[in-house]
Amino acid sequence: MDLNKKFTPETWPDHPEKATLEAKNKFVGFWLFLGGETILFATLFATYLALKNKGPSGFKFSTQELFELPLVFVMTLLLLTSSLTSVYAMYHLKNYNFKKMQLWLVITAFLGLGFLALEVYEFVHYIKLGFTFDNSAFSSAFYTLVGTHGFHVAIGLVWLTLLIFRNSKRGLNLYNAPKYYTFSLYWHFIDVVWVFIFTVVYLMGVIG
Amino acid sequence: MSSVAQKRGFGATLWDWLTTVDHKKIGILYLLGGGFFFIVGGIEAMIIRLQLLTPNNDLVSAGIFNQIITMHGTTMIFLAAMPILIGFMNAIMPLQIGARDVAFPFLNSLGFWMFFFGGVFLNISWFFGQVPDAGWTSYASLAMASEGHGVDFYAIGLQIAGGGTLLGGINFLVTIINMRAPGMTYMRMPLFTWTTFVASAMILFAFPPLTVGLFLLTFERMFGANFFDPTMGGNTIIWEHIFWIFGHPEVYILILPAFGIFSEIFTIFSRKRLFGYSAMVFATVLIGFLGFMVWAHHMFTVGLGPTANAIFSVATMAIAIPTGVKIFNWLLTIWGGSIKVTTPMLWALAFIPTFVMGGVTGVMLGTAPLDYQLHDTYFVVAHFHYVIVGGTVFGILAGTHLYWPKMFGTMLNETLGKVTFWFFFFGFHLTFLIQHWLGFWGMPRRVFTYMDGQGWNSANVISSVGALLMAIGITVMVYNIIVTSIKNVRVANDPWGDGRTLEWAIESPPLFYNFAQTPLVRGLDTVYIEKMEGNLSGITPAEPVQDIHMPNGSFIPFMLSLGLFIAGFGAMFRTEEPWGMAVLVIGLVWTFAAMAMRSLKDDLGYYVKKEDILKDMKRKGGQK
């Protein structure tokens, strides 16, 4: 593949994420990987539901008392918006507009960072209340499920930062376009997992 | 870059193997790595049988016996059977679909090195004297009570190796979906490719639960989590569910590729096309699907209740139907064929009755009320050795003899191969047939010794003698491999003479780019079709000779896996040794640095020039 080949918006393929065999492989392979990730989170969800509110005798924490929806609502807003901004970035990727794509990706990164910061704040807050990782089966399951999601967000941010800086000088080509695209798939996936966490852990925890 | 073989120094050769991304070389690495662990697991098995030879034996202590049975099971399943099968998938499947490499050559290499370092991590526990001893299933209540770092070695070692397997599974799936040669429709794929496809899909969905389970176990043992501790609100049964949601599909991951190898063998040596090809494909997919629906039959005695037990009982028995379809199709493939009884064919013929016996005891154990009687007795041991050895290991040994010339360019000796077969076959039935009765007579599994006068003595002696015969068989095979490798008589494209699929239409071993021109596939058993129409090369090219794009080798997979290996040690000794935390950080930084290097450095591959390909073709007098 020739990295120096220059494109114009007219010559840029309609589906740059699937324009070469390597890109097609990456595309299919990443979808399959996300399938595996789905099972991974499903297992964590099942574990959480089995251990929800369970603790040693005299255990005082429960989802109703612990969780506060306003904070989680802001987190949800940040992450869902970051998914939207990554869609804008992919729109510009398909139109061969590198600068706008990078701009939207930077916005995506900051929104993700905001989410992560709030999650750290949330965890620190719980730990101050005495709801530590080794405090009960419930706390272990909660931190493992939500923490695994947070870890995925963190990995995604590192990945995105590397992508933005690595390609900042050279613009779009058919080698890095699939990389951007797989990142956006990953980011949407994280978002979908969060929707489930928000529903199953927080909403059903407070209301159910 | 020319593909003409050159004499190279030892260092250059070693570097080539450490950095290779060629699926054929990675296949050989898997075969060697898996073969090594197969011998290790075999030695552990021999010690087990030696210990059980006589009542009240004190060859090994109860504690060491627990370690040996745990490591025997873990090694054989994760480090021997599966890697060797993945080795065959690597070496053969891309050839069967007319591809030049797998979809992700880099990940392929990474998968191998993760398996290798994970396996080494697990086995290094012997040198620390802290060996996993909670059984290969590592049930939580046993694992929590296990002292020392044994179970940590298990959890971290399998985590690393399992990650490698997951990468391999995704890789094979994408290869089959995207890289089939023109005309190679799904329903023209050889059965081994089909079983690779289904087994890979099962890996994709079965390994993430194992990943989670092992993480929970690690967190519980090392960071004070409470998933499995009832006094802290935990539930020990969660581990059993998670483990068997992985563990049951795992046994089908082990058996399906072996089914594929046998299907190839029956067609080649009966010289007929496979009977009921589409039914075989359907049965493979159905087994893969049902394999996820039956995990709780390992847990009948846990107390899930009669409804759950009944459902899982029926689902378990349902698997006998597609398996039966396969058995009859193989029989009808042989029926009326012009049979050549070669070594691979001997294994295949022996496989049918052996596996059927294992399947019948499987249905017996799937009957929940009977399972209450047989649970945790030697009957269970006999059952799973009949399916895993009688199916998977027979398949591996058959595949080794069948594909050896394709992978190494020289044949294994047929006479020695048959000697191996007869020793192993008789030894196997001698060892495990009697264990059904030992189970009926009440001998529990996993006991390190037994009292005299319970009527178990002679049965155990018979069993141990059988194990010796199997060991002799394997020794003969190792001798066979060494002798034929030294003689190194080169063979042509199709040494068995009746190859029907694409791998038999190219050199043995194939050139690094496999096919000078991508083949055009005109039907099931395409090489057979071409030959019948007088095209002796077996291939109609689908493209003119042109430059071929190939991937670059890379040392990053080795380094990345090494980083995980180092981090594993750090994690384990994090709190009790002053260097623990530092080593953990170094390992993780190392790993992420390797990942970043992969990410930041462009890897565009290179082109093999048309002139070099034409030169190769002229030299080999190969395809027109």
Side-chain angles (χ1 to χ4, degrees):
Chain A
M1 193 188 320
D2 186 6
L3 281 188
N4 298 318
K5 185 175 175 191
K6 287 283 168 256
F7 288 94
T8 64
E10 284 71 40
T11 59
W12 185 243
D14 286 341
H15 291 283
E17 78 279 8
K18 290 187 282 190
T20 63
L21 177 63
E22 285 81 5
K24 270 184 217 144
N25 288 345
K26 197 168 275 190
F27 183 78
V28 175
F30 205 80
W31 269 109
L32 293 172
F33 170 74
L34 292 181
E37 287 264 82
T38 308
I39 307 296
L40 184 136
F41 276 104
T43 315
L44 288 172
F45 272 109
T47 309
Y48 172 79
L49 287 176
L51 299 177
K52 180 180 167 185
N53 289 336
K54 300 267 170 64
S57 54
F59 183 60
K60 58 177 178 157
F61 293 102
S62 74
T63 51
Q64 271 89 354
E65 293 154 35
L66 201 61
F67 300 147
E68 281 161 26
L69 285 183
L71 176 73
V72 188
F73 175 71
V74 175
M75 287 167 72
T76 308
L77 218 56
L78 285 177
L79 203 63
L80 256 59
T81 314
S82 83
S83 219
L84 178 69
T85 55
S86 79
V87 172
Y88 287 149
M90 287 310 106
Y91 170 79
H92 291 300
L93 177 128
K94 294 208 171 178
N95 289 334
Y96 198 65
N97 191 337
F98 180 68
K99 281 199 175 126
K100 280 194 177 161
M101 180 191 78
Q102 290 279 84
L103 178 68
W104 283 112
L105 285 177
V106 170
I107 295 171
T108 305
F110 276 107
L111 289 169
L113 201 62
F115 170 87
L116 206 58
L118 286 183
E119 181 151 279
V120 171
Y121 166 79
E122 186 200 1
F123 281 11
V124 170
H125 175 67
Y126 292 155
I127 289 168
K128 274 189 190 149
L129 292 176
F131 187 69
T132 54
F133 184 65
D134 54 4
N135 154 286
S136 62
F138 170 40
S139 66
S140 302
F142 169 78
Y143 284 116
T144 306
L145 170 61
V146 182
T148 304
H149 175 266
F151 179 71
H152 276 75
V153 175
I155 291 282
L157 287 175
V158 174
W159 180 6
L160 179 57
T161 313
L162 282 177
L163 267 182
I164 291 173
F165 280 104
R166 172 67 182 92
N167 297 303
S168 59
K169 293 254 167 61
R170 64 176 177 179
L172 274 174
N173 55 43
L174 290 180
Y175 181 71
N176 60 22
K179 293 187 175 216
Y180 280 111
Y181 195 84
T182 41
F183 167 78
S184 83
L185 285 180
Y186 178 81
W187 200 252
H188 288 311
F189 173 76
I190 288 177
D191 204 43
V192 171
V193 173
W194 179 258
V195 170
F196 278 90
I197 290 182
F198 181 66
T199 314
V200 173
V201 177
Y202 293 101
L203 277 185
M204 285 165 63
V206 173
I207 297 158
Chain B
M1 182 174 163
S2 167
S3 59
V4 179
Q6 295 158 345
K7 284 272 178 209
R8 285 184 307 184
F10 174 74
T13 311
L14 181 68
W15 180 251
D16 181 42
W17 284 94
L18 289 179
T19 58
T20 187
V21 294
D22 180 346
H23 71 94
K24 300 175 288 298
K25 285 185 175 168
I26 291 174
I28 290 173
L29 286 173
Y30 266 115
L31 191 65
L32 293 178
F36 169 75
F37 286 119
F38 183 73
I39 304 283
V40 172
I43 292 170
E44 283 154 2
M46 294 309 291
I47 300 174
I48 294 173
R49 281 322 316 169
L50 218 56
Q51 164 67 19
L52 294 174
L53 182 63
T54 55
N56 292 316
N57 197 354
D58 57 357
L59 176 74
V60 295
S61 69
I64 291 182
F65 188 84
N66 283 345
Q67 299 175 348
I68 292 175
I69 56 161
T70 302
M71 288 302 282
H72 167 70
T74 312
T75 303
M76 283 303 198
I77 300 247
F78 291 99
L79 308 179
M82 213 165 36
I84 295 176
L85 289 172
I86 291 178
F88 288 134
M89 295 176 186
N90 256 309
I92 304 302
M93 181 275 286
L95 305 180
Q96 286 195 328
I97 61 171
R100 293 209 168 97
D101 208 324
V102 289
F104 305 110
F106 178 91
L107 287 189
N108 203 15
S109 166
L110 181 60
F112 168 76
W113 289 110
M114 282 176 75
F115 142 67
F116 178 78
F117 278 107
V120 171
F121 191 89
L122 201 58
N123 275 280
I124 266 184
S125 62
W126 288 111
F127 297 99
F128 282 77
Q130 303 178 11
V131 186
D133 56 359
W136 86 278
T137 54
S138 205
Y139 272 15
S141 24
L142 291 176
M144 289 311 121
S146 169
E147 284 169 9
H149 281 299
V151 173
D152 302 332
F153 275 110
Y154 170 94
I156 297 172
L158 286 190
Q159 194 72 276
I160 298 173
T165 309
L166 184 61
L167 293 177
I170 294 177
N171 199 352
F172 292 138
L173 282 172
V174 180
T175 306
I176 294 172
I177 293 171
N178 273 357
M179 297 177 72
R180 284 165 290 125
M184 178 62 84
T185 59
Y186 281 102
M187 290 309 274
R188 286 177 182 176
M189 295 196 311
L191 240 279
F192 181 62
T193 299
W194 256 113
T195 53
T196 300
F197 187 70
V198 175
S200 301
M202 297 186 78
I203 287 175
L204 175 63
F205 293 118
F207 269 69
L210 177 71
T211 306
V212 171
L214 291 173
F215 269 126
L216 300 188
L217 189 61
T218 311
F219 291 169
E220 180 115 357
R221 282 179 57 94
M222 292 164 63
F223 305 112
N226 302 299
F227 303 104
F228 309 125
D229 181 357
T231 60
M232 298 297 282
N235 185 342
T236 185
I237 305 302
I238 288 177
W239 167 268
E240 293 185 31
H241 278 295
I242 292 178
F243 185 85
W244 286 117
I245 285 170
F246 147 76
H248 198 82
E250 168 69 13
V251 302
Y252 291 98
I253 293 167
L254 290 174
I255 198 62
L256 285 177
F259 282 177
I261 291 172
F262 287 128
S263 302
E264 302 292 328
I265 291 173
F266 283 128
T267 53
I268 292 174
F269 297 109
S270 302
R271 289 182 260 187
K272 275 174 66 186
R273 66 169 276 177
L274 190 69
F275 187 90
Y277 171 85
S278 39
M280 285 298 250
V281 171
F282 183 70
T284 306
V285 176
L286 196 60
I287 291 174
F289 179 74
L290 288 175
F292 282 95
M293 308 288 157
V294 298
W295 80 88
H297 70 211
H298 298 268
M299 302 165 63
F300 280 151
T301 59
V302 162
L304 302 177
T307 313
N309 280 5
I311 290 170
F312 280 98
S313 198
V314 171
T316 303
M317 291 177 197
I319 294 190
I321 296 168
T323 316
V325 167
K326 279 179 165 282
I327 297 283
F328 282 109
N329 280 336
W330 284 320
L331 290 175
L332 290 165
T333 305
I334 308 169
W335 188 287
S338 151
I339 301 167
K340 271 202 281 189
V341 186
T342 56
T343 308
M345 188 64 168
L346 266 181
W347 286 109
L349 292 172
F351 150 78
I352 291 184
T354 311
F355 190 80
V356 167
M357 287 165 75
V360 168
T361 53
V363 174
M364 287 170 73
L365 287 168
T367 316
L370 187 56
D371 183 75
Y372 269 75
Q373 298 299 313
L374 299 172
H375 188 77
D376 264 350
T377 69
Y378 260 82
F379 189 86
V380 177
V381 178
H383 157 70
F384 68 68
H385 281 91
Y386 260 81
V387 281
I388 294 184
V389 180
T392 307
V393 176
F394 278 23
I396 283 171
L397 294 171
T400 305
H401 287 87
L402 177 71
Y403 289 127
W404 195 267
K406 189 47 68 187
M407 291 170 80
F408 295 94
T410 185
M411 290 280 269
L412 290 176
N413 182 296
E414 273 290 285
T415 315
L416 288 175
K418 286 174 183 166
V419 172
T420 301
F421 168 78
W422 287 112
F423 268 106
F424 196 93
F425 177 70
F426 266 116
F428 167 76
H429 282 280
L430 206 56
T431 308
F432 293 107
L433 189 63
I434 193 78
Q435 290 186 0
H436 293 106
W437 279 274
L438 266 178
F440 286 141
W441 296 333
M443 180 161 167
R445 66 190 280 212
R446 290 178 168 171
V447 288
F448 89 108
T449 193
Y450 49 93
M451 308 287 277
D452 201 0
Q454 298 184 93
W456 300 344
N457 298 10
S458 44
N460 272 300
V461 172
I462 292 170
S463 195
S464 294
V465 171
L468 182 67
L469 294 184
M470 281 196 275
I472 295 173
I474 295 298
T475 313
V476 173
M477 192 171 103
V478 173
Y479 172 75
N480 190 355
I481 288 171
I482 293 169
V483 169
T484 52
S485 302
I486 291 171
K487 280 192 192 153
N488 200 15
V489 183
R490 306 312 286 177
V491 293
N493 294 1
D494 184 8
W496 298 107
D498 293 297
R500 310 168 71 86
T501 42
L502 282 170
E503 75 270 32
W504 304 110
I506 52 177
E507 295 83 353
S508 309
L511 294 171
F512 66 99
Y513 50 77
N514 295 354
F515 297 91
Q517 295 155 283
T518 299
L520 178 72
V521 177
R522 295 171 52 213
L524 181 65
D525 293 346
T526 175
V527 172
Y528 175 80
I529 295 174
E530 296 285 349
K531 283 182 181 170
M532 283 299 111
E533 293 181 0
N535 175 4
L536 292 182
S537 77
I539 285 182
T540 300
E543 60 178 16
V545 179
Q546 56 192 18
D547 291 359
I548 295 174
H549 181 244
M550 294 300 287
N552 291 323
S554 172
F555 193 47
I556 295 175
F558 181 92
M559 296 304 270
L560 204 161
S561 313
L562 184 61
L564 290 171
F565 180 80
I566 295 170
F569 275 103
M572 212 154 49
F573 295 107
R574 181 181 50 92
T575 49
E576 63 207 58
E577 302 281 352
W579 45 264
M581 200 65 198
V583 170
L584 174 61
V585 172
I586 290 171
L588 287 179
V589 169
W590 184 309
T591 306
F592 281 108
M595 287 168 79
M597 196 187 288
R598 168 68 184 167
S599 180
L600 297 178
K601 197 171 160 296
D602 292 342
D603 183 8
L604 301 172
Y606 66 93
Y607 281 91
V608 186
K609 290 272 168 288
K610 184 180 167 184
E611 299 79 56
D612 290 327
I613 299 163
L614 286 169
K615 239 184 272 171
D616 284 339
M617 289 167 76
K618 212 168 161 191
R619 198 164 44 80
K620 292 271 182 186
Q623 300 147 283
K624 300 285 176 311

